[in-house]
Amino acid sequence: MPPAAKSKLGYTPPDGGWGWVVVFGAFISIGFSYAFPKSLTIYFKEIQEYFSVSYSEIAWLSSVMLASMYAGGPVSSVLVNRYGSRPVVMVGGILVSTGMILASFGKTIMHLYLCVGLIGGFGLAFNLQPSLTIIGTYFQIKRPLANGLAMTGSPVVLFTLAPLNQWLFDNFGWRGSFLILGGIVLHCCIAGALMRPVNKHAQPKPKAEPAGCNGEAAEKVASSEANAQSDKLLSKENEDDSQSQGCLETFIDLSLFKHRGFLIYLVGNVVLFFGFFAPVVFLAPYAKHQGIDEYSAAFLLSIFALTDMFIRPITGILGNTKWVRPRIQYFFSFAVFYNGVCHLVCPLLPGYSGKVVYAVFFGLAFGMLSALLFEVLMDLVGAHRFSSAVGLVTIIECGPVLLGPPLSGALVDIYGDYKYMYYACGVFMLVPGIYFFIMHYYNYKKLDEELKQDVAAELRTCEEAVQLKMIRDGKTKHETDG
């Protein structure tokens, strides 16, 4: 199978049909990938007491799992480019299940780091990235909606797992719960089985006809500005693809580091991921710290997940509209900024009712950001380069994903209060939100300029062709008259 990073799709995605079954499979797979590390926070307080560890040390459990999920991105990209999404997702489900079953026999916190963190995290990587990639092969016009629906799996699974984990703990303890969760997560194998590769020969992509040599060409380009901007970037960045490349670049497209939009996305995401997961990881422990009972604290995660569940498909629908999609990067910038505001306000809301209000507004903010997180990357680099792009992004982001929760937990250890952790996360989200607004304004401006230059160059080429044809016709007529 040729690597996705080397050529454009070369076919017209069906935008439906079996693609909706694939979206359902991705819904399950992505749901476990993101919700599983968050849902395990229900056991943090008890595991912390069992092994006599600090807030910072117990935070490493989710942190290592999330970081392994992101670090496994390039490996997952290579496997997807070589074997396709279906077998990779199924192997991922088996890995996560194995990690949880082995963790149920854990004797030390390091044992949990290895089993839940490393083995389980790599399994989640094999679930996440292939699910995101295959959606891009089935959808083009309806892609924001499909991505939004697939990403809704995270809050739905979290909404289910949060109270289920509390019930499992009360009845079976954390060891028995981990053993049962090892069986539940095997549903990812079923999800992977649904991910049938797209039939690329069913609808051959029609060849584009050459543009007319008049104002019609400019009008055509202007009417499809959003798609043309993406294609413009793709053609600019693919100019060097014909050069000889190393073995690594056969599977991972390193030329993305020359891509302006990709670099803007990467820099902002590295900062925001320092504050992305910690507020969710510490939401239930924060409530317990303020004297709220365990079930009410776990219910905050359910409220958060329920709100998140509804906003993701709505975000996908909005992102697919003609008003938002041409400038969808601004929508993403707002979502990042909105998350930062929520975290800064959280410590100012008193009591359990305040935490419920925070869970609702944070769920809205988190859902918007999550629904757009990978759609905007695909919008920047194109579906055919997305597999490599997400692999490169996740391996770089694993640093802040790994360090974010433990650093936040260290703030709790130092000050004995969670509010400073939420203030820090607010800043980590607010700054990249402003950065994205500025840099995407610059990027869109440059794209418009490059598009106009291309239109002008195309018109000049057409005029030269017409003049050359007229000269040839004149010479032919002269020779005939002679």
Side-chain angles (χ1 to χ4, degrees):
M1 177 181 177
K6 293 297 176 190
S7 62
K8 294 186 179 181
L9 288 175
Y11 66 95
T12 301
D15 272 305
W18 189 262
W20 296 117
V21 179
V22 171
V23 168
F24 177 70
F27 173 93
I28 297 173
S29 183
I30 293 173
F32 276 103
S33 297
Y34 275 119
F36 212 69
K38 300 171 195 171
S39 68
L40 294 181
T41 61
I42 298 297
Y43 304 99
F44 274 14
K45 185 176 180 180
E46 289 71 28
I47 294 176
Q48 181 181 1
E49 293 174 354
Y50 185 90
F51 291 112
S52 300
V53 295
S54 65
Y55 288 102
S56 180
E57 288 175 305
I58 193 62
W60 279 103
L61 186 58
S62 283
S63 196
V64 171
M65 193 176 198
L66 289 167
S68 298
M69 182 177 76
Y70 276 73
V75 178
S76 184
S77 292
V78 170
L79 294 175
V80 169
N81 289 338
R82 181 65 181 86
Y83 300 105
S85 294
R86 175 186 278 174
V88 178
V89 172
M90 296 177 74
V91 170
I94 294 173
L95 278 176
V96 182
S97 176
T98 302
M100 294 303 298
I101 292 173
L102 291 176
S104 66
F105 301 99
K107 299 297 182 181
T108 64
I109 191 67
M110 289 300 297
H111 188 126
L112 297 188
Y113 290 161
L114 176 63
C115 296
V116 177
L118 288 179
I119 299 176
F122 269 97
L124 294 180
F126 291 175
N127 278 274
L128 174 64
Q129 195 267 357
S131 303
L132 296 167
T133 300
I134 197 170
I135 291 175
T137 68
Y138 269 94
F139 292 90
Q140 183 174 4
I141 297 174
K142 299 177 182 178
R143 195 182 65 213
L145 175 60
N147 274 322
L149 291 173
M151 294 297 288
T152 306
S154 174
V156 171
V157 174
L158 181 60
F159 179 77
T160 306
L161 285 182
L164 176 62
N165 278 340
Q166 189 63 56
W167 183 84
L168 288 174
F169 174 76
D170 291 341
N171 289 274
F172 304 101
W174 69 266
R175 293 185 185 276
S177 299
F178 278 19
L179 189 63
I180 295 172
L181 288 173
I184 292 175
V185 81
L186 285 174
H187 283 83
C188 291
C189 297
I190 301 174
L194 298 175
M195 296 180 185
R196 186 176 68 195
V198 66
N199 185 356
K200 298 182 180 181
H201 303 291
Q203 297 178 346
K205 193 171 185 178
K207 294 182 179 180
E209 297 180 358
C213 299
N214 49 34
E216 184 180 354
E219 182 179 337
K220 181 179 179 182
V221 175
S223 65
S224 58
E225 180 181 340
N227 291 333
Q229 286 174 342
S230 296
D231 291 341
K232 170 64 183 171
L233 271 180
L234 296 176
S235 61
K236 290 287 184 184
E237 299 305 327
N238 282 333
E239 287 177 355
D240 299 328
D241 279 354
S242 59
Q243 299 177 359
S244 59
Q245 297 178 339
C247 181
L248 178 61
E249 291 187 84
T250 303
F251 300 102
I252 299 293
D253 189 2
L254 298 180
S255 68
L256 285 164
F257 286 109
K258 302 176 184 177
H259 192 295
R260 182 173 63 238
F262 176 79
L263 291 176
I264 292 172
Y265 178 91
L266 182 62
V267 171
N269 274 31
V270 166
V271 179
L272 77 86
F273 267 90
F274 275 103
F276 188 60
F277 290 111
V280 185
V281 169
F282 287 104
L283 180 57
Y286 185 16
K288 293 178 183 179
H289 179 76
Q290 292 190 330
I292 298 171
D293 66 273
E294 296 176 347
Y295 275 93
S296 297
F299 188 62
L300 287 175
L301 281 176
S302 296
I303 295 173
F304 163 82
L306 185 63
T307 311
D308 189 1
M309 183 192 314
F310 283 103
I311 197 60
R312 292 198 190 202
I314 293 174
T315 301
I317 294 171
L318 289 175
N320 209 51
T321 61
K322 61 181 180 180
W323 300 283
V324 176
R325 190 167 187 183
R327 293 291 188 268
I328 197 170
Q329 304 297 335
Y330 289 144
F331 195 14
F332 176 67
S333 305
F334 168 75
V336 177
F337 183 86
Y338 178 29
N339 271 267
V341 173
C342 288
H343 301 330
L344 291 175
V345 172
C346 174
L348 306 178
L349 301 174
Y352 184 68
S353 58
K355 296 296 172 288
V356 170
V357 171
Y358 169 72
V360 171
F361 282 93
F362 179 33
L364 292 173
F366 191 88
M368 288 174 59
L369 195 158
S370 298
L372 296 169
L373 187 62
F374 295 105
E375 168 58 31
V376 295
L377 177 59
M378 199 177 294
D379 178 69
L380 287 169
V381 304
H384 69 292
R385 305 177 78 184
F386 178 74
S387 178
S388 291
V390 75
L392 293 172
V393 166
T394 53
I395 187 63
I396 294 173
E397 287 174 351
C398 75
V401 168
L402 177 66
L403 297 176
L407 288 176
S408 300
L411 289 175
V412 179
D413 289 332
I414 293 171
Y415 296 102
D417 199 328
Y418 283 83
K419 67 179 181 180
Y420 299 103
M421 181 271 292
Y422 277 91
Y423 287 146
C425 291
V427 173
F428 279 128
M429 301 295 285
L430 208 64
V431 171
I434 297 172
Y435 161 83
F436 277 133
F437 272 117
I438 297 172
M439 294 307 297
H440 284 309
Y441 170 79
Y442 166 76
N443 190 39
Y444 279 130
K445 185 177 179 181
K446 293 292 291 183
L447 287 174
D448 289 338
E449 292 174 357
E450 292 166 0
L451 186 60
K452 291 176 182 177
Q453 291 173 2
D454 273 5
V455 171
E458 186 178 359
L459 292 176
R460 283 197 302 270
T461 302
C462 290
E463 290 173 0
E464 291 172 359
V466 170
Q467 291 175 0
L468 182 61
K469 187 176 184 301
M470 291 175 64
I471 293 172
R472 289 177 178 175
D473 290 345
K475 287 182 178 180
T476 303
K477 184 178 181 182
H478 178 72
E479 291 174 355
T480 303
D481 294 342

